[in-house]
Amino acid sequence: MASEVSAGEVSPEGKHVSHASRTHVVTHLPGDGVGPEVTEVARACVDAVAARHDFHIDWRSCHLGGKHYLQTGEVLPEGVLEELRKSDAILLGAIGTPEVPPGVLERGLLLRLRFELDLYVNLRPSKLRPGVSGAVGKHALADLDFVIVRENTEGLYAGAGGTVHRGTEFETATEESLNTWAGVRRCVRYAARLAAARSGRLTLVHKTNVLLNAGGLWSRIAREVAAEDGVELSYAHVDAACLWMVDDPKRFDVIVTDNLFGDIISDLGAALTGGLGYAASGNLNPDRTGPSVFEPVHGSAPDIAGKGMANPAGAVLSAGLMLSHLGEDAAAADLDAAVNSVLAAGEPATTAAWQEQLLGHLGAAR
Ligand code: IPM
Ligand code: MN
């Protein structure tokens, strides 16, 4: 975590380090498509709030992703993973190019990072912001402000399953959902503590009427953990949860759910709060045995990459989640407020205009 550095100290390599009182090592992994454009803005905003709040980010960079894979054949080399482990956090732009077949980078890079770094919580806030029209116009801002806590290392993403009799009419494909007592419990525990810090309300989303084995385990653990942590627990089947997220989202404050349900309902949450462009996410290792990874949900968007049109809000808000995770809550709140101020005045049309206005609100020169 933060290494305390006194003013004007000289590092072991003989370089002068910052005069700020705290330093966080953050690896910037810009990736593909719009990833570099949006994370550049996020980085500038983070440096601006760091200066205001007397800390310093020691940025490292790491080049991985579709472009890198096509040039080198490397997805995630061991040595790079070991370097990544040394940071306090990772700010990731987006991974993926149309030329790389599906699965190579998803399983080989994104999911591998989640597994290797034990990023067992995927935190996905769905918050409607001023000036943004949600997909459902009837809701007030406060109605759409919930957080999805998605289990991020198990379930159908664990990679269990296989194919036999390939190429015959009896070809059989299985994907098995893994749910461990310890894995479910640590995720629900995180969600319950988050609920306790917000409204005290936690909703389990699952499909316990059909998925009796996994559903039984999730329900039992959710009841136990909610009782231990003193939060009010409700339950929604995933299909009904989709309906209520649209029709009556005030029901929800903190939702906890399994990996695939969380993947799906968090895109619905994003659509309700303006679209993927504003959606932030944190892949968290709450035990801090390694760095957590923060990334906007929108992906590489190759169709608009390089045109200066990408909306950096999701990246900036993800950087805000990163600052909170690093213990810089006041700086994170400044980033959030800056995004709201820009949106309230009317969304800028270009990435550069976003950056200029964000930095203006953060009191920094361009
Ligand atoms: C997400 C993405 C990923 C996921 C893909 C790209 C592997 O959809 O972060 O939501 O399914 O988790
Ligand atoms: Mn997804």
Side-chain angles (χ1 to χ4, degrees), residues 114 124 150 157 262-264 266-267 276 297:
R114 294 177 188 175
R124 297 194 160 186
R150 162 186 176 187
Y157 279 67
D263 178 48
I264 296 167
S266 61
D267 272 22
L276 281 178
V297 184

Side-chain angles (χ1 to χ4, degrees), residues 136 138-139 236-252 265 268 272:
V136 192
K138 63 185 176 180
H139 298 299
H237 291 317
V238 64
D239 46 354
C242 289
L243 186 136
W244 286 327
M245 279 169 71
V246 175
D247 265 9
D248 188 16
K250 300 191 284 304
R251 282 173 185 258
F252 301 116
I265 68 171
L268 176 55
L272 288 169

Side-chain angles (χ1 to χ4, degrees), residues 21-178:
S21 59
R22 301 177 299 284
T23 295
H24 306 285
V25 177
V26 176
T27 301
H28 177 202
L29 201 169
D32 302 309
V34 297
E37 301 163 52
V38 297
T39 49
E40 268 316 313
V41 178
R43 213 174 134 153
C45 291
V46 167
D47 283 335
V49 286
R52 262 170 96 162
H53 291 277
D54 198 28
F55 64 93
H56 170 74
I57 302 289
D58 177 359
W59 293 100
R60 310 278 161 93
S61 45
C62 174
H63 295 284
L64 292 174
K67 226 168 86 192
H68 182 84
Y69 171 72
L70 293 170
Q71 284 161 1
T72 63
E74 288 175 359
V75 179
L76 176 55
E78 285 306 319
V80 175
L81 181 58
E82 289 321 305
E83 277 308 304
L84 289 173
R85 285 188 201 280
K86 295 180 192 157
S87 355
D88 296 317
I90 298 166
L91 181 64
L92 189 153
I95 297 296
T97 38
E99 300 81 25
V100 180
V104 174
L105 300 166
E106 289 84 350
R107 288 217 85 88
L109 179 48
L110 286 173
L111 298 187
R112 182 134 181 262
L113 281 177
R114 294 177 188 175
F115 298 145
E116 293 277 359
L117 301 176
D118 208 13
L119 308 174
Y120 65 81
V121 162
N122 193 321
L123 189 67
R124 297 194 160 186
S126 288
K127 180 170 173 167
L128 186 60
R129 292 172 183 278
V132 177
S133 49
V136 192
K138 63 185 176 180
H139 298 299
L141 284 180
D143 296 351
L144 274 161
D145 181 6
F146 54 84
V147 181
I148 296 168
V149 175
R150 162 186 176 187
E151 199 293 318
N152 212 29
T153 53
E154 302 195 338
L156 280 161
Y157 279 67
T163 298
V164 291
H165 308 308
R166 189 188 291 275
T168 75
E169 64 180 306
F170 294 102
E171 177 165 337
T172 307
T174 60
E175 305 282 353
E176 292 165 28
S177 173
L178 301 195

